[in-house]
């Protein structure tokens, strides 16, 4: 009897641990895949941006960025289970607004950056319970680089500023300096497939 009780106890203790180990392996795989997707996304986006700037200057690139960034974000993920995008505490396009989970992570990244943590490699990976089941979520901090300042810096060329104001009347994404926290890549994967 006592042995049975001990066995039951052992099983009860083991069960959640085994589950947790599965979860953490799945999270690690997901994080690895997510990093790959971010890399592909950055590559495609930078290529499109650079091409557009070379072709018609930064004002032209704004339109290309607006039209192509969401298309690239849709084309990069391997299956419809994935969604990929960018979000920020200071938005240019309100379509990129963070949800509650993303808002909390953005705040955490900001606090960590303010405390002196490096933005490079700053990320969060989590299995989140929702009304429709579990989803895997990933975010990675985006620092402002020199090339970003043309369109997100403190002094925008007047023609560019006018075009941004026309396309994004609620724009908050200017006034950044190189090295500052710009926002984050965000990835969601439903666990159904
Ligand atoms: C040619 C101008 C231009 C340059 C250069 C540029 N951006 Fe942007 N950025 C934009 C536009 C336009 C949008 C809005 C895109 C959209 O409509 O989804 C945007 C949106 C974003 C967003 C999405 C969140 C939001 O505010 O809507 C992030 C993050 C971002 N940019 C970061 C960067 C970083 C980092 C760089 C430098 C590596 C950079 N950008 C360079 C024009 C630019």
């Amino acid at each position: 009897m006592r042995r049975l009780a001990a066995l039951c106890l052992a099983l009860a203790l083991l069960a959640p641990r085994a589950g947790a180990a599965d979860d953490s392996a799945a999270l690690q795989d997901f994080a690895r895949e997510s990093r790959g997707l971010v890399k592909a996304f950055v590559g495609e986006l930078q290529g499109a941006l650079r091409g557009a700037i070379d072709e018609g200057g930064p004002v032209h690139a704004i339109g290309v960025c607006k039209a192509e960034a969401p298309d690239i974000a849709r084309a990069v993920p391997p299956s419809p289970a994935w969604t990929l995008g960018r979000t920020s505490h200071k938005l240019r396009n309100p379509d990129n607004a963070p949800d509650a989970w993303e808002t909390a992570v953005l705040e955490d990244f900001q606090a960590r950056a303010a405390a002196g943590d490096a933005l490079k490699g700053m990320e969060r990976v989590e299995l989140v319970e929702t009304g429709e089941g579990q989803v895997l979520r990933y975010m990675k901090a985006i620092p402002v680089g020199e090339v970003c300042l043309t369109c997100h810096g403190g002094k925008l060329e007047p023609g560019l500023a006018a075009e941004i104001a026309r396309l994004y009347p609620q724009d908050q994404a200017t006034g950044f300096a190189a090295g500052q926290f710009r926002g984050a890549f965000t990835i969601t994967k439903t666990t159904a497939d």
Side-chain angles (χ1 to χ4, degrees):
M1 202 53 205
R2 194 180 276 170
R3 253 174 105 183
L4 188 63
L7 186 66
C8 287
L9 182 65
L11 284 177
L13 286 175
L14 267 179
R17 279 218 203 121
D22 285 353
D23 282 357
S24 83
L27 276 181
Q28 277 171 26
D29 285 348
F30 167 68
R32 211 171 12 247
E33 277 185 274
S34 295
R35 285 179 204 119
L37 292 188
V38 164
K39 223 175 190 174
F41 185 42
V42 168
E44 297 260 344
L45 203 57
Q46 279 181 357
L49 203 61
R50 209 165 296 137
I53 290 175
D54 288 351
E55 190 185 293
V59 176
H60 170 67
I62 296 280
V64 173
C65 196
K66 185 173 171 36
E68 286 193 17
D71 285 348
I72 295 171
R74 267 190 297 272
V76 165
S79 87
W82 297 77
T83 54
L84 161 66
R86 294 179 303 172
T87 188
S88 180
H89 56 303
K90 285 188 178 176
L91 286 167
R92 174 147 293 166
N93 187 338
D95 291 350
N96 299 325
D99 65 16
W101 186 83
E102 289 165 333
T103 301
V105 176
L106 285 172
E107 282 170 5
D108 176 56
F109 284 180
Q110 267 181 287
R112 284 165 60 187
D117 280 9
L119 289 172
K120 193 169 158 28
M122 190 180 285
E123 58 179 9
R124 171 79 69 88
V125 52
E126 205 173 304
L127 184 66
V128 179
E129 299 285 345
T130 72
E132 286 107 54
Q134 294 182 324
V135 289
L136 291 158
R137 303 206 65 168
Y138 175 85
M139 278 174 78
K140 185 175 198 304
I142 306 174
V144 176
E146 290 289 340
V147 288
C148 320
L149 299 178
T150 311
C151 302
H152 295 295
K155 255 202 200 143
L156 265 53
E157 187 268 313
L160 192 67
E163 181 65 359
I164 290 175
R166 188 179 72 80
L167 291 172
Y168 304 99
Q170 301 164 44
D171 182 37
Q172 298 179 299
T174 56
F176 286 95
Q180 284 183 332
F181 176 59
R182 171 64 183 92
F185 296 102
T186 178
I187 292 180
T188 301
K189 187 183 181 231
T190 56
T191 52
D193 79 341

